[in-house]
Amino acid sequence: MTSEFPHTPPRKSYTFSDAANAEIRRAAASGIYDIRGGGTKRYLPHFDDLLFLGASISRYPLEGYREKCSTDVWLGTRFAKNPIHLDIPVTIAGMSFGALSGPAKEALGRGASAAGTSTTTGDGGMTEEERGHSKTLVYQYLPSRYGMNPDDLRRADAIEVVVGQGAKPGGGGMLLGQKISDRVAMMRNLPKGIDQRSACRHPDWTGPDDLEIKILELREITDWEKPIYVKIGGARPYYDTALAVKAGADVVVLDGMQGGTAATQDVFIEHVGQPILACIPLAVKALQDLGMHRKVQLIVSGGIRTGADVAKAMALGADAVAIGTAALVALGDNDPVFEAEYQKLGTTAGAYDDWHEGKDPAGITTQDPELYNRFDPVLGGRRLKNYLKVMTLEAQTIARACGKNHLHNLEPEDLCALTMEAAAMARVPLAGTDWYPGKNGF
Ligand SMILES: Cc1cc2nc3c(=O)[nH]c(=O)nc-3n(C[C@H](O)[C@H](O)[C@H](O)COP(=O)(O)O)c2cc1C
């Protein structure tokens, strides 16, 4: 029966949004879950929700053109005979050869070395492109053992035992058959063209005591020379940091939920883990409770894009940060110059995340020679160096404005939070107050 009154306008459900319905239809049509690269795409509390207070009368700023603000960092000072000294506290995170092309690895090495920082291998082992162009190279020791080689352990400057990643704590990665070229297959000792899943846990340990034994083994193989990092995803950062320290780590690498990945299930990226903002204070608390803050260094990652992000992470207590996605963007990933080709792949610049398919028009996340030969590693390295330099200058500008003569002197007291969530997670006061949720038990 029609009513004499106007109809209620059509309303779409917030819960069953267009995106949610499209995913239901995609799943119904294909019968497989969505796999993609990159980090979480939903809104999460992040560094943007914090602000620096800056100096005025009660704090005295430093003069940019005359007064020094240092940016260097030592990593691995606890046990290693040869700790690492970097000019800047922004490092390049582990990204696998396989996910990335050889020329992309070379560009990471070139850019990082020119900027005075380190690069990191990844699942799939050490390439000559990266070793040859990286002044300081961290070698990942992963659950998968893909590309693991004891000689390469000795050729590295530090070793990173990967327990987990922020994009998928508790899970393993994927490298689909399209990207398993002859070379990738040879390095991983697995068949060409067949999908590979990386293990979610190390095959030879079942808990923290085994981690301690493994770290001792790695120290012996490398004659106690190299710093040993332990990388954890942002799951239970207080206990995981404490256990890594107990197991003998020189450095803890903490990767929050925003952290990128080469490829895994979308449901994992979007629904497992904790934002990096929530993880840092818990890891710092664990280090402080053990009397190890600044003795065991903390590197944090997950969605870091600017010098402001770097400065905020350091003000919360990190010694350094690592970047993955931002480094790829600096090299040329998702650049609008490739828009016509992104459109052919059914996507658009800024949204391209099918890195597992190996069709990257920028030649970065591919093993197809036609595509990766488009990428110029010298130019890519220069772009990365410029970007790292800008991030460092930005962080220094902020530190000076807070009256600090070293980035490490930034502290939570320099910050305020814009939202209740950020205040609660970062444990810094809500703007305009001296309070954050949880302070004094309230
Ligand atoms: C293309 C790509 C490949 C990656 N491969 C690895 C890997 O092999 N091992 C690992 O521990 N993490 C890997 N990661 C995660 C990064 O090391 C790092 O934790 C993450 O990228 C940090 O977050 P961000 O991308 O927001 O900077 C990868 C990330 C990307 C984007």
Side-chain angles (χ1 to χ4, degrees):
M1 201 171 74
T2 53
S3 145
E4 62 191 285
F5 299 113
H7 290 293
T8 307
R11 280 189 297 162
K12 286 193 177 171
S13 161
Y14 182 85
T15 309
F16 288 90
S17 61
D18 285 348
N21 289 342
E23 174 51 21
I24 293 170
R25 283 190 285 273
R26 191 206 60 78
S30 68
I32 52 173
Y33 46 50
D34 187 27
I35 295 173
R36 67 171 177 88
T40 137
K41 296 194 177 190
R42 59 153 82 200
Y43 169 76
L44 289 170
H46 199 37
F47 294 116
D48 287 339
D49 300 313
L50 300 181
L51 296 175
F52 281 99
L53 299 173
S56 55
I57 296 181
S58 64
R59 297 287 183 280
Y60 193 68
L62 299 186
E63 181 56 69
Y65 293 98
R66 279 183 283 127
E67 288 170 308
K68 200 171 166 185
C69 175
S70 304
T71 61
D72 68 320
V73 58
W74 283 94
L75 298 168
T77 50
R78 186 185 186 192
F79 292 126
K81 282 191 219 163
N82 299 335
I84 283 173
H85 185 235
L86 303 178
D87 296 339
I88 63 169
V90 187
T91 65
I92 305 300
M95 290 184 275
S96 66
F97 170 68
L100 300 188
S101 65
K105 279 297 207 182
E106 176 180 334
L108 292 175
R110 284 177 179 275
S113 301
T117 190
S118 59
T119 49
T120 312
T121 64
D123 240 333
M126 185 187 283
T127 59
E128 289 315 312
E129 288 93 328
E130 195 169 32
R131 176 63 281 185
H133 290 93
S134 302
K135 185 165 170 273
T136 308
L137 180 60
V138 182
Y139 185 62
Q140 283 199 332
Y141 185 78
L142 293 121
S144 69
R145 304 285 195 271
Y146 292 149
M148 161 55 196
N149 177 338
D151 293 329
D152 288 342
L153 279 174
R154 297 191 192 99
R155 294 171 72 209
D157 300 291
I159 295 161
E160 182 169 302
V161 179
V162 178
V163 176
Q165 263 179 258
K168 47 183 192 253
M174 297 180 175
L175 191 66
L176 299 194
Q178 296 98 304
K179 291 177 83 174
I180 319 279
S181 64
D182 285 322
R183 182 176 176 201
V184 173
M186 192 268 294
M187 285 185 67
R188 295 183 180 219
N189 208 11
L190 282 165
K192 185 182 171 186
I194 308 281
D195 294 353
Q196 294 179 5
R197 280 165 181 273
S198 302
C200 68
R201 56 173 202 247
H202 286 260
D204 49 355
W205 86 59
T206 55
D209 294 341
D210 294 338
L211 175 58
E212 192 168 348
I213 295 167
K214 185 54 66 184
I215 288 178
L216 271 176
E217 276 174 24
L218 292 169
R219 288 205 191 278
E220 280 176 19
I221 296 175
T222 55
D223 200 20
W224 288 74
E225 285 177 353
K226 329 260 176 198
I228 309 243
Y229 303 7
V230 173
K231 177 174 180 176
I232 52 176
R236 294 175 178 79
Y238 182 87
Y239 294 108
D240 293 339
T241 301
L243 288 168
V245 171
K246 180 183 170 289
D250 292 307
V251 174
V252 173
V253 181
L254 174 65
D255 190 28
M257 181 178 176
Q258 289 95 335
T261 174
T264 198
Q265 297 95 331
D266 175 81
V267 70
F268 219 137
I269 299 173
E270 297 290 358
H271 296 280
V272 183
Q274 300 203 59
I276 190 63
L277 204 56
C279 294
I280 300 173
L282 291 168
V284 170
K285 175 94 172 45
L287 292 170
Q288 287 168 340
D289 288 352
L290 294 168
M292 285 294 181
H293 190 217
R294 307 287 187 214
K295 293 182 185 155
V296 168
Q297 287 80 34
L298 179 67
I299 302 178
V300 305
S301 58
I304 288 175
R305 307 147 297 178
T306 63
D309 292 347
V310 177
K312 289 171 189 176
M314 295 185 73
L316 292 177
D319 294 273
V321 305
I323 56 166
T325 306
L328 301 187
V329 175
L331 296 188
D333 172 67
N334 263 300
D335 194 317
V337 295
F338 300 111
E339 182 58 21
E341 289 175 77
Y342 287 129
Q343 298 267 340
K344 278 191 215 146
L345 295 172
T347 183
T348 184
Y352 176 60
D353 57 15
D354 288 326
W355 299 342
H356 56 289
E357 290 181 351
K359 296 179 184 162
D360 182 359
I364 294 169
T365 58
T366 179
Q367 298 302 321
D368 177 343
E370 212 164 286
L371 293 173
Y372 69 63
N373 282 330
R374 288 176 172 191
F375 176 79
D376 177 352
V378 176
L379 182 62
R382 207 175 301 140
R383 289 170 57 100
L384 179 61
K385 181 201 80 176
N386 286 341
Y387 168 60
L388 290 167
K389 189 173 144 201
V390 169
M391 280 179 119
T392 307
L393 287 169
E394 286 174 344
Q396 271 178 313
T397 301
I398 287 173
R400 283 201 183 93
C402 296
K404 305 294 159 78
N405 64 2
H406 197 295
L407 294 184
H408 287 152
N409 295 337
L410 288 165
E411 53 194 322
E413 205 257 348
D414 292 315
L415 294 167
C416 69
L418 280 170
T419 65
M420 291 284 265
E421 288 88 346
M425 291 181 192
R427 297 172 191 217
V428 300
L430 187 64
T433 78
D434 61 359
W435 175 83
Y436 58 83
K439 188 177 180 188
N440 305 327
F442 295 104

